[in-house]
């Protein structure tokens, strides 16, 4: 079985609801990205990532950069591991309230113009063939995968901290959760 690592991005320079809708990392986030890289490179030879995949958003690309550079690779940008899509009818100012409400419910109960239960299935399906890969993603997307693997309908299976690393295994046909990443002591920032 091949290893797959889901890494939440480092701490961004602004949080959701602020003016910057695609912030990069702050100083702490850049340091967290270095720590994640070092942890991944310290894996035993058969468990070390050989590929790097990132959400298109800047905070993930910047978190992935130290790992990609260490491997001498370009990070592959894949929107399927990106942030949860916002309903088209919502403004940027309405997104934080919508997310807070979604966090309290189930995948099938998230209001919007998308089937979010199907969305979480598509994320998991996109990962099955990605063995030996470090995937830099987001709080909700990581919860989408973990909740599916645990058989939970609730949106939040756990609260992955910035640069927490969730470990999966894949045989190319299915995914298995090995270890959830470190949890944050507070909610999404």
């Amino acid at each position: 079985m091949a290893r797959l690592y889901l890494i939440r991005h480092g701490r961004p320079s602004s949080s959701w609801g602020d003016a910057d809708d695609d912030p990069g990392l702050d100083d702490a986030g850049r340091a967290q990205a270095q720590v994640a890289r070092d942890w991944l490179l310290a894996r035993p030879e058969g468990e070390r990532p050989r590929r790097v995949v990132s959400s298109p958003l800047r905070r993930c690309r910047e978190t992935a950069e130290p790992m990609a550079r260490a491997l001498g690779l370009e990070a592959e940008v894949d929107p399927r591991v990106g942030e949860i899509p916002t309903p088209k009818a919502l403004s940027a100012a309405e997104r934080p309230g919508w997310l807070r409400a979604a966090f309290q419910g189930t995948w099938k109960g998230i209001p919007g113009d998308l089937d979010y239960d199907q969305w979480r299935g598509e994320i998991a399906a996109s990962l099955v063939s990605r063995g030996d890969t470090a995937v830099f993603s987001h709080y909700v997307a990581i919860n989408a995968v973990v909740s599916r693997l645990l058989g939970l309908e609730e949106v939040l299976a756990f609260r992955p901290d910035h640069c927490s690393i969730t470990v999966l295994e894949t045989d190319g046909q299915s995914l298995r959760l090995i270890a959830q990443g470190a949890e944050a002591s507070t909610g999404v920032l």
Side-chain angles (χ1 to χ4, degrees), residues 18 34 37 50 60 62 72 81 94 98 104 108 118 132-133 163 172-173 189:
D18 288 345
Q34 300 288 337
R37 176 210 55 205
R50 293 181 295 163
C60 286
E62 289 182 7
V81 298
E94 294 170 310
W98 172 78
Q104 304 305 311
K108 291 180 181 175
Q118 179 180 338
D132 301 324
T133 304
C163 280
Q173 302 292 317
L189 299 175

Side-chain angles (χ1 to χ4, degrees), residues 123-136:
I123 294 171
S126 78
L127 299 174
V128 169
S129 64
R130 294 189 182 276
D132 301 324
T133 304
V135 179
F136 294 83

Side-chain angles (χ1 to χ4, degrees), residues 9-59:
H9 60 77
R11 192 171 82 181
S13 60
S14 66
S15 60
W16 36 287
D18 288 345
D20 188 350
D21 63 351
D22 191 14
L25 300 178
D26 67 9
D27 289 342
R30 285 187 286 279
Q32 291 166 337
Q34 300 288 337
V35 170
R37 176 210 55 205
D38 294 346
W39 188 90
L40 291 164
L41 290 174
R43 298 302 90 215
E45 184 61 39
E47 297 177 11
R48 197 170 305 137
R50 293 181 295 163
R51 294 175 57 201
V52 176
V53 173
S54 176
S55 156
L57 295 179
R58 190 171 151 210
R59 57 193 175 271

Side-chain angles (χ1 to χ4, degrees), residues 92-166:
E94 294 170 310
R95 180 177 165 80
W98 172 78
L99 277 172
R100 282 186 190 93
F103 291 165
Q104 304 305 311
T106 65
W107 288 102
K108 291 180 181 175
I110 298 175
D113 48 11
L114 184 71
D115 181 338
Y116 290 98
D117 190 46
Q118 179 180 338
W119 174 77
R120 79 174 175 152
E122 291 168 1
I123 294 171
S126 78
L127 299 174
V128 169
S129 64
R130 294 189 182 276
D132 301 324
T133 304
V135 179
F136 294 83
S137 190
H138 302 271
Y139 187 94
V140 181
I142 294 168
N143 265 285
V145 174
V146 170
S147 67
R148 186 171 182 89
L149 294 176
L150 294 176
L152 302 174
E153 292 302 317
E154 294 81 16
V155 171
L156 293 185
F158 78 120
R159 299 180 182 281
D161 205 353
H162 290 113
C163 280
S164 75
I165 301 172
T166 295

